[in-house]
Amino acid sequence: MLKFILRRLGAALVILFGASVLLYVLVINSGDPLSDLRESNADNREYLMQQRIDNMNLDLPWYQRYWSWLTGVGKCFALQCDLGTNRSGVSINSLLELAASSTLRLVLLATLLALVFGISIGILTAVRQYSGLDYGVTFATFLFFSLPVFWAAVLLKEYMAIGYNDWVREPDFGPVQIIVIAVIAGFLMQVFLAGSMRRRIITFAVTAGFFAAALPSLTALEYFRNPQLGYIGVAVLTFAVALSATAMAVGVKNRKVLYPALITAALVSVVQVALYNVFVYYMNWFIMIGGLALAAAIPWFIGRSMGGRYKGIAAGVSVATGVIGAGLTVVDHVFRAWPGFLGMKPRPIATIGSQTPNFGGDFWQTMLDQGTQLLLPTILLTIISLASYSRYTRASMLEVSSQDYIRTARSKGLPERTVIFRHAFRNALIPIATIAAFDFAALIGGAVITEQVFGWKGMGELFQTGLREVDPNPVMAFFLITGTAAILFNLLADIFYAIIDPRIRV
């Protein structure tokens, strides 16, 4: 394996070198970096031109300028990168740090959401092949995949930002809106749960009735301006997660898995009350990340200790319960901060920028500000990526499900959940790993349009500015990040293959 990795890294360096030379030559020959100054009538035009020539080393041959850039990149191996300056003399290192942090915050979240929801939808549609749910999801995914990014972004701005901001000032639902929402929710739920016609009718009636009663009640309680889960809400939902995860994994009758999950849910319920003041007065990102790490480590230990021969499954279910329960606790405190946030920012969903300038809220309000700025571009990138993940997962699951070992597992009487998640799904992950690896790098490069529409100062803006100003250093910084990400994640996908399927190691 080590020899394989070294060989792949060597080939990757050769590819990066060749591509960087080609890109550098194309950029410097795409226009005149002094064109705006040549047309200027300023008295100090000659001084400004000379200053730009010095900043961009335009008095040197292109290969010397490229070599200077390559030498600076080589210093990255010693953690002392020097990517030069832009035409104004600003360090590319500082620009890249700001741009990369902005874009990665967007891309990582969108990729994670697309993976989770896409794979889940793909598994569900494969299990329910040729059902109404399968056809509906197929139509929706192809619709999302074909959406023009700029057009979808305009729709999101209009309805999820401007429209929502107008509505949230005085949240209300008219009779027609309640009926429409209740009918749509009931229809979708009966399609999702399926079953006999009698079961579908009951599901539709119960769901529609619930929404018809809940929406006016929530409006009367001003829940949309003052939402809360509360201690009881977090506890109930966490226990529901424990039961659901156990049922999906091995069934609730397996006490070796059920008990660790329930103990984890109880711990989450106790900790959220005990640490209330910490969440309110002392919370920061270090505490939050540390808390999430503990929410995974402690349940893992509980599951491994109590799971017996099911210790791997018990640990996984317990970790899922702990992490989701911790997430619900965070959501509850975000809800508690929402009224104060609306007081500081009456129109909460922003359409431009990655954060509000000079925003002076506390930790939770600042988190809400950055989250609402992140909402629209994340939704846009997620729904576009969702299509490919769900379709590839479905196709891969259907292909694996026809294999002999799946039929053997069913003939041995194994529960269907075991056949799907422990036998079929693991072997269906290989093509998904390939897509995820390339999609991450592609999203960094493909977020150029999204960042422009939503006014994010990220990698896309850095790339566009470099091209527009015929300045190679910003463009090369963009190439360095995206190219390296593509190659490294492709290598990680190859290693992941060997973890999923031991035969590949040979």
Side-chain angles (χ1 to χ4, degrees):
M1 178 63 73
L2 179 60
K3 187 176 180 180
F4 165 76
I5 294 174
L6 293 176
R7 187 168 63 248
R8 287 294 302 271
L9 287 176
L13 289 176
V14 174
I15 294 171
L16 282 175
F17 172 74
S20 66
V21 173
L22 177 61
L23 181 62
Y24 196 92
V25 172
L26 289 175
V27 172
I28 63 176
N29 287 285
S30 63
D32 181 8
L34 300 175
S35 59
D36 59 321
L37 294 179
R38 297 186 196 279
E39 299 171 359
S40 173
N41 294 322
D43 295 335
N44 61 341
R45 186 185 69 168
E46 295 300 326
Y47 170 76
L48 295 175
M49 291 181 64
Q50 186 59 47
Q51 188 178 43
R52 185 174 297 177
I53 290 173
D54 294 338
N55 289 335
M56 300 180 65
N57 294 322
L58 295 178
D59 52 340
L60 299 177
W62 72 268
Y63 51 85
Q64 289 188 15
R65 294 159 57 194
Y66 172 79
W67 178 254
S68 176
W69 175 82
L70 189 63
T71 303
V73 172
K75 296 179 181 178
C76 292
F77 292 103
L79 302 179
Q80 296 180 345
C81 290
D82 181 12
L83 303 181
T85 62
N86 65 0
R87 70 177 192 175
S88 300
V90 180
S91 171
I92 297 295
N93 286 16
S94 60
L95 295 176
L96 182 62
E97 182 180 354
L98 295 174
S101 62
S102 179
T103 295
L104 288 176
R105 181 155 51 99
L106 171 63
V107 171
L108 281 174
L109 182 59
T111 304
L112 179 62
L113 291 174
L115 271 170
V116 172
F117 288 107
I119 291 175
S120 302
I121 291 171
I123 294 173
L124 184 61
T125 52
V127 173
R128 303 262 296 278
Q129 186 183 15
Y130 302 136
S131 64
L133 176 66
D134 187 21
Y135 288 124
V137 169
T138 299
F139 171 79
T141 52
F142 279 112
L143 175 66
F144 292 153
F145 188 75
S146 60
L147 284 178
V149 174
F150 57 89
W151 181 73
V154 172
L155 291 181
L156 286 176
K157 284 185 175 185
E158 177 63 29
Y159 294 105
M160 291 196 67
I162 298 174
Y164 176 80
N165 289 336
D166 292 338
W167 176 82
V168 81
R169 287 183 298 182
E170 296 182 4
D172 190 22
F173 292 99
V176 175
Q177 291 174 313
I178 293 175
I179 293 172
V180 170
I181 293 173
V183 170
I184 292 175
F187 174 77
L188 293 177
M189 185 60 71
Q190 65 86 22
V191 169
F192 179 77
L193 295 181
S196 63
M197 182 56 67
R198 181 173 178 273
R199 178 178 173 179
R200 286 176 179 268
I201 293 174
I202 294 174
T203 302
F204 174 83
V206 171
T207 305
F210 172 79
F211 275 87
L215 290 178
S217 301
L218 293 176
T219 303
L221 294 172
E222 297 186 349
Y223 189 82
F224 299 102
R225 288 190 64 88
N226 188 22
Q228 284 190 26
L229 290 178
Y231 300 133
I232 297 177
V234 173
V236 169
L237 290 175
T238 305
F239 276 99
V241 169
L243 293 171
S244 302
T246 304
M248 291 178 60
V250 292
V252 293
K253 294 182 179 180
N254 190 318
R255 298 184 179 182
K256 291 289 187 180
V257 177
L258 178 62
Y259 287 168
L262 292 178
I263 290 173
T264 300
L267 282 175
V268 170
S269 303
V270 171
V271 168
Q272 65 151 332
V273 177
L275 298 182
Y276 176 80
N277 288 333
V278 174
F279 277 98
V280 173
Y281 301 109
Y282 306 105
M283 180 56 66
N284 55 50
W285 284 109
F286 293 106
I287 294 177
M288 180 175 290
I289 294 172
L292 288 175
L294 289 175
I298 295 175
W300 180 86
F301 178 77
I302 294 173
R304 297 288 294 185
S305 301
M306 300 179 60
R309 67 189 186 94
Y310 295 97
K311 60 184 179 180
I313 300 174
V317 171
S318 298
V319 168
T321 303
V323 171
I324 294 175
L328 289 171
T329 303
V330 171
V331 169
D332 178 50
H333 284 274
V334 169
F335 281 0
R336 294 173 188 268
W338 181 253
F341 177 68
L342 288 180
M344 301 179 66
K345 191 178 177 183
R347 300 185 67 81
I349 309 299
T351 58
I352 295 295
S354 57
Q355 63 183 27
T356 303
N358 302 318
F359 186 80
D362 61 18
F363 173 82
W364 295 109
Q365 292 166 343
T366 302
M367 184 178 177
L368 271 169
D369 176 57
Q370 295 178 354
T372 52
Q373 301 275 23
L374 193 65
L375 181 65
L376 298 186
T378 299
I379 290 175
L380 181 60
L381 292 176
T382 299
I383 62 175
I384 292 173
S385 300
L386 192 69
S388 57
Y389 287 125
S390 62
R391 300 314 295 169
Y392 274 102
T393 302
R394 178 184 181 275
S396 185
M397 285 289 293
L398 290 176
E399 180 181 358
V400 169
S401 297
S402 63
Q403 301 296 319
D404 291 339
Y405 65 89
I406 298 296
R407 287 194 290 269
T408 301
R410 287 196 173 104
S411 66
K412 289 166 62 177
L414 291 177
E416 188 64 16
R417 70 174 71 87
T418 303
V419 174
I420 292 172
F421 291 105
R422 295 187 63 186
H423 294 274
F425 178 56
R426 177 169 180 172
N427 290 284
L429 276 176
I430 291 178
I432 302 169
T434 305
I435 300 167
F438 281 106
D439 196 41
F440 180 80
L443 271 178
I444 296 177
V448 173
I449 298 176
T450 304
E451 290 179 8
Q452 182 178 12
V453 173
F454 290 105
W456 276 60
K457 301 296 183 182
M459 297 291 291
E461 197 269 343
L462 185 71
F463 176 77
Q464 283 187 308
T465 301
L467 284 182
R468 184 175 61 252
E469 297 178 350
V470 198
D471 189 353
N473 284 347
V475 178
M476 298 304 293
F478 176 87
F479 164 79
L480 183 65
I481 296 297
T482 55
T484 303
I487 289 172
L488 286 181
F489 275 87
N490 188 29
L491 178 61
L492 289 176
D494 290 341
I495 297 173
F496 189 57
Y497 297 159
I499 295 175
I500 297 174
D501 189 347
R503 296 172 298 177
I504 296 178
R505 300 175 191 171
V506 181

